Amino acid sequence: MRGVIQRGRNRTANPVQGFTLLELSIALSVMVILSVGIFTLATGGLELMEDVQDLQQRESRKRRFVELCRQNFESLPAGAEISFRYEQRGGHYDTYLSLRNAPSAFGFGRGDFEVRRVVLAAEIDTSGYIRSSVYYLDAEADDRFERGELRTVDARSLTLMRRLRQLTWRFYDSSRLEWVDVLPQGSENPVMIELTIAREGEPNPLRTVFWVPARQIQESTGEPGSPDGNPDGDGGNPENPNDGDGNEASPAAVNPDATNGRANF
């Protein structure tokens, strides 16, 4: 009997220990806080990754646009004519850089219709940003363009880039040895073209310079005495800063880092 009582006392003296309600509440609170922190970090990491990918894609598109311009400007045919005009609209200016007698420029493999002039336009769209498009003008549309009837020109077009904060052109005047914002009517092709471009949200624009091959400028003044248009046959071009004859500025004076027909600033 004593043994039974003794064993009963031992069972009541060593009860099974458990967690109190307060301890469970504290443990759950810690788990919730840790879960929220981990979820926040994971969400922030995913958003950062998406932002980086979007930035890389936008930068890649901008670089491809610059490369597209470089390839087309530096491979223009000998008889191509470059002109530039702008039109004021609602307190802003739409600009039109045109390439005449260059039907393959910005062609993207097309060939199902005749093109007399290709126009690279920078126009303000309804969003308030700049839209870059290329227009392909046939003979009739080219005549209207020459008369300044830009709004009535009906031509095929292709949008290249949207939501640009800046897209401006400048041209190197070899006679004045400086950059100018406009090309006088009927002037010769510039020896260099500068593009400044920035997308939405980019504080620093990208500035790039493209070379226009000198042979394109010589084409309209060629004479039988020399294949490059110089009757003396010495290959000189007094209006080309690339001559380096000591009388005109050389390309290094404009950009010492100019190589391979393109200079990036």
Side-chain angles (χ1 to χ4, degrees), residues 81-213:
E81 301 175 7
I82 302 176
S83 62
F84 181 76
R85 64 177 61 181
Y86 59 90
E87 180 178 347
Q88 186 175 10
R89 181 168 61 91
H92 302 280
Y93 288 94
D94 294 338
T95 63
Y96 302 91
L97 177 62
S98 68
L99 309 173
R100 199 168 189 268
N101 300 326
S104 61
F106 298 92
F108 303 103
R110 73 178 195 288
D112 56 338
F113 58 96
E114 178 186 0
V115 176
R116 179 175 294 183
R117 185 190 298 266
V118 176
V119 180
L120 197 58
E123 302 170 305
I124 304 295
D125 60 16
T126 55
S127 67
Y129 289 95
I130 300 173
R131 180 186 67 249
S132 175
S133 304
V134 56
Y135 293 91
Y136 305 101
L137 277 59
D138 56 16
E140 180 181 355
D142 182 48
D143 292 338
R144 293 185 177 182
F145 185 86
E146 286 287 349
R147 294 194 298 267
E149 302 174 0
L150 302 180
R151 293 300 171 189
T152 62
V153 171
D154 183 16
R156 302 191 184 189
S157 64
L158 176 66
T159 300
L160 300 179
M161 294 191 71
R162 296 181 182 273
R163 301 189 71 83
L164 295 172
R165 181 176 61 85
Q166 180 181 1
L167 195 160
T168 56
W169 302 98
R170 290 202 306 169
F171 313 93
Y172 187 73
D173 189 335
S174 57
S175 61
R176 297 161 55 184
L177 302 181
E178 64 180 7
W179 292 96
V180 296
D181 296 327
V182 295
L183 282 176
Q185 189 73 18
S187 62
E188 294 182 340
N189 290 350
V191 295
M192 289 183 288
I193 299 177
E194 175 197 271
L195 167 66
T196 303
I197 184 173
R199 294 182 62 92
E200 173 192 7
E202 295 179 347
N204 299 319
L206 173 66
R207 180 172 177 256
T208 308
V209 174
F210 312 106
W211 290 93
V212 178

